[in-house]
Amino acid sequence: KKKKKKNIPMAVLLLIALAAVARANVPDIVIAPGVTMPVVGVGSCCGLYNISAWIAQGGRHIDTSCDYGSQGAIADAMKASGIPRGEFFITSKIDPEDYGPDVGQAVDAKILQPLQTDYVDLLLMHHAGRWQTDKSPHPPCFNASDANGRGTYYTCRIQTWQAFQQLVKDKKARAIGVSNWEERDLDQLYNITKTYPSVNQIEYHPYYYTPALAAYCKDKNIKVEAYAPMGAFPRSIMLDDPHIKALAKKYNKDPGQIALRFELQSGADIVIPRSKSAAHMAQNMDIFSFTLSGDDVDSIANLPQNKIYHTNCQPWC
């Protein structure tokens, strides 16, 4: 007897179709030769994530770090989805305490093994690593006898970058970049290695807008990835800003969508908002059907600044 085909409920088929549409609406950006990255991803810091919901919504770009505590959940969600690993874009980061020529060992133990994968799509140095001699932990490459630490943190940084380049050759990372780096850090890297990172992941939103750094990165073909694009979680005072709410009403969008459009139109190339809500995830991907006017972008850029929610590089700065 022929086995009867299992009928898939119409509601499930609709969800699958909507997820496919959402995924198709999110463009990719080239960050390195042969490597493209979805412009919208999801953050997974601080227990504020729902990876299975993100995947169900059509999301494939997932941001994590060795210190977020989310890599195991990401591995489980990817496996449960049945979707091939190659369809996902996974970013992870290594912290300065593991910087140095042997950073590859930490990448294996702290990133690849928890993610249950042979490679990450984007590997980042989490901070520039300006250690102070009275702070800890320090990596083996840091020489505490150096009065300022200046020479040794430069050395640590360069050794780590060169080890990252080897990880690309070893196919453990498809692209490499940095996070929380300033112009001076990027200049120093280039002066010694004659290379720039593919991506600089920085805090970037209407209340912490850094156009000079974004313009510098654009000039060097470094893609700017905005983390904390909606400010603090779970509900940012930024999203309750009267001006942003007025623009949301004007464009018939959610305040979060206004923030994400502002970032993509003002210097950021990629955004990674966090959310546990499937509805908000869908909204976060639905930001390519409208464009803010130039005047509205300028008006957001003139909102009160320097409300930094997440950037905290101690003890590494």
Side-chain angles (χ1 to χ4, degrees), residues 18-312:
L18 289 174
V21 170
R23 186 165 68 253
N25 286 339
V26 176
D28 290 343
I29 188 171
V30 177
I31 62 169
V35 182
T36 60
M37 180 179 189
V39 167
V40 179
V42 69
S44 64
C45 178
C46 317
L48 306 171
Y49 54 85
N50 185 342
I51 303 303
S52 294
W54 175 246
I55 294 172
Q57 289 296 319
R60 297 294 181 265
H61 171 188
I62 304 168
D63 181 87
T64 185
S65 174
C66 67
D67 62 350
Y68 286 178
S70 58
Q71 293 181 131
I74 292 168
D76 291 342
M78 288 195 297
K79 183 177 180 180
S81 74
I83 297 169
R85 167 66 181 88
E87 290 194 24
F88 291 100
F89 189 100
I90 308 299
T91 298
S92 196
K93 314 170 195 75
I94 200 75
D95 283 335
E97 66 188 60
D98 290 307
Y99 286 3
D102 298 323
V103 69
Q105 296 176 18
V107 170
D108 281 334
K110 296 186 176 184
I111 294 178
L112 299 183
Q113 291 179 25
L115 284 170
Q116 299 176 39
T117 184
D118 296 328
Y119 69 95
V120 288
D121 298 278
L122 178 62
L123 178 65
L124 304 180
M125 295 172 65
H126 208 166
H127 298 282
R130 299 182 202 94
W131 297 272
Q132 298 177 26
T133 55
D134 61 340
K135 302 285 186 176
S136 63
H138 294 137
C141 57
F142 180 83
N143 180 4
S145 65
D146 183 338
N148 298 314
R150 179 172 297 276
T152 48
Y153 73 65
Y154 280 173
T155 300
C156 279
R157 192 185 295 168
I158 299 306
Q159 289 177 341
T160 304
W161 185 253
Q162 291 169 337
F164 269 28
Q165 291 175 313
Q166 184 59 48
L167 290 173
V168 173
K169 294 177 182 177
D170 294 340
K171 298 184 178 181
K172 293 185 176 182
R174 297 178 64 220
I176 51 177
V178 298
S179 181
N180 300 305
W181 282 38
E182 300 172 1
E183 293 94 324
R184 56 177 171 166
D185 307 311
L186 297 163
D187 279 338
Q188 186 260 341
L189 178 68
Y190 181 79
N191 289 340
I192 297 177
T193 69
K194 302 305 177 188
T195 58
Y196 287 111
S198 294
V199 172
N200 186 15
Q201 187 184 109
I202 58 175
E203 181 172 350
Y204 193 95
H205 49 73
Y207 279 1
Y208 190 64
Y209 169 54
T210 52
L213 177 56
Y216 170 98
C217 289
K218 183 176 182 179
D219 182 63
K220 310 301 183 186
N221 197 30
I222 303 167
K223 304 306 180 188
V224 173
E225 183 174 14
Y227 74 77
M230 297 183 192
F233 195 94
R235 182 70 190 181
S236 169
I237 58 171
M238 183 185 74
L239 298 185
D240 290 323
D241 185 286
H243 183 62
I244 291 179
K245 290 179 75 173
L247 289 175
K249 184 176 181 180
K250 173 182 176 179
Y251 289 92
N252 194 28
K253 296 294 180 181
D254 183 81
Q257 292 173 301
I258 299 298
L260 296 176
R261 277 307 316 175
F262 166 75
E263 289 139 16
L264 292 178
Q265 290 182 229
S266 67
D269 301 290
I270 305 144
V271 291
I272 47 170
R274 290 181 293 175
S275 180
K276 298 178 76 172
S277 162
H280 287 162
M281 291 174 186
Q283 287 178 335
N284 293 343
M285 287 191 280
D286 183 23
I287 57 172
F288 301 100
S289 60
F290 75 105
T291 303
L292 299 176
S293 71
D295 288 343
D296 287 337
V297 170
D298 291 342
S299 70
I300 296 174
N302 288 324
L303 289 172
Q305 293 291 303
N306 296 319
K307 293 185 179 179
I308 305 175
Y309 293 112
H310 290 279
T311 301
N312 179 9

